[in-house]
Amino acid sequence: MKEYYIETKSPVFQKTLEFCRKVADSNINILLIGESGSGKEMAAKYIHQLSERKEKNFVAVNCSAYTETLLESELFGYEQGAFTGANKSKEGKLEQANEGTLFLDEIGDTNPITQVKLLRVIETKQIEPVGGLSPHRIDFRLISATNQDLHKSIESGDFREDFFYRISTVVIRVPSLRERKEDLESLIQFFLEKSQKKKKKEIRTIIPEVSQFLYEYDYPGNVRELKNIIDRMVVLSEDGVITKDCLPILYS
């Protein structure tokens, strides 16, 4: 089964996918912008799979999931003995993405020090693991993503302007689910089939009241929220029927 659903009836999302196809075979740096949960990583994977690097690794890093020190180690790796607890060398995400695609999600959460180090990698195409003695060459395609207004972050001094221009040769906006309600029916069916297979449960009926909710709800959490709602409903279903009781109390 497909990992994600890329077909669309939405003109606004069709435009997004068209941009993705246009830039796929280039090596320019791409910045994906859009609300949290709107599908920026899906768009990044779509670009990767259309590119000449599709047979190589797609390496995703959520920059907001690490502290400053841990993020540097995660990206650059480290040599044995580089710091207390470094009992053996570790390959970083940058090196894992060599000849492939590196996806840096929540790039707006990186601090200026990390931005400087990443900027140098982008400019020199060289990396040096923490505790390493000499840099070595690396080749990867960079796709970044954010749900923040990076121009405001630049004004506040939290984001480097030179780094911004390096990562945003092309900016592609991924629309919210509210902007592409035409795709709701297909997305619901896609996630429903995927969830049934994963949970090993069969759904035969969704009562009209639940269906009405699924089509009328605004999804502030976007596609990610839709997937989570459906997963929960499948788990809570009984005898193949999804009733109102299957909706989390938050939505009831």
Side-chain angles (χ1 to χ4, degrees), residues 63-211:
C63 298
S64 66
Y66 301 93
T67 63
E68 175 184 335
T69 303
L70 285 177
L71 180 59
E72 183 178 348
S73 297
E74 190 72 13
L75 290 172
F76 292 89
Y78 51 82
E79 298 293 344
Q80 183 177 358
F83 49 83
T84 303
N87 299 320
K88 60 180 180 179
S89 299
K90 178 184 176 181
E91 185 180 58
K93 299 296 187 182
L94 286 161
E95 196 152 4
Q96 290 175 19
N98 191 33
E99 298 185 351
T101 299
L102 177 68
F103 175 60
L104 296 181
D105 199 8
E106 306 296 353
I107 192 72
D109 288 335
T110 56
N111 63 75
I113 295 175
T114 301
Q115 292 166 28
V116 169
K117 293 178 179 179
L118 284 170
L119 179 60
R120 180 164 179 78
V121 173
I122 295 170
E123 291 177 338
T124 65
K125 297 297 182 184
Q126 292 185 328
I127 63 167
E128 185 174 338
V130 177
L133 299 176
S134 60
H136 56 273
R137 293 197 63 79
I138 193 168
D139 170 44
F140 61 89
R141 203 282 178 71
L142 178 63
I143 303 177
S144 306
T146 185
N147 60 8
Q148 300 180 28
D149 185 338
L150 293 185
H151 291 289
K152 289 184 178 178
S153 297
I154 291 171
E155 291 175 2
S156 66
D158 294 323
F159 206 84
R160 292 179 60 95
E161 188 172 23
D162 52 357
F163 183 57
F164 171 77
Y165 287 118
R166 276 294 187 177
I167 66 173
S168 61
T169 307
V170 170
V171 178
I172 299 176
R173 190 179 78 88
V174 179
S176 66
L177 185 53
R178 295 184 304 282
E179 298 174 78
R180 44 180 294 221
K181 282 289 188 77
E182 303 95 324
D183 293 334
L184 261 179
E185 182 177 1
S186 298
L187 284 168
I188 290 169
Q189 188 61 35
F190 172 73
F191 288 130
L192 194 58
E193 290 176 3
K194 196 171 183 180
S195 187
Q196 287 177 89
K197 184 176 181 181
K198 185 177 180 180
K199 310 286 189 300
K200 296 180 180 179
K201 297 185 74 171
E202 181 183 0
I203 302 300
R204 296 188 301 275
T205 305
I206 300 178
I207 67 165
E209 191 175 2
V210 173
S211 293

Side-chain angles (χ1 to χ4, degrees), residues 219-233:
Y219 299 100
N222 293 294
V223 178
R224 183 185 297 134
E225 184 179 14
L226 171 62
K227 177 184 180 300
N228 289 341
I229 290 172
I230 290 177
D231 280 343
R232 289 192 291 262
M233 291 195 306

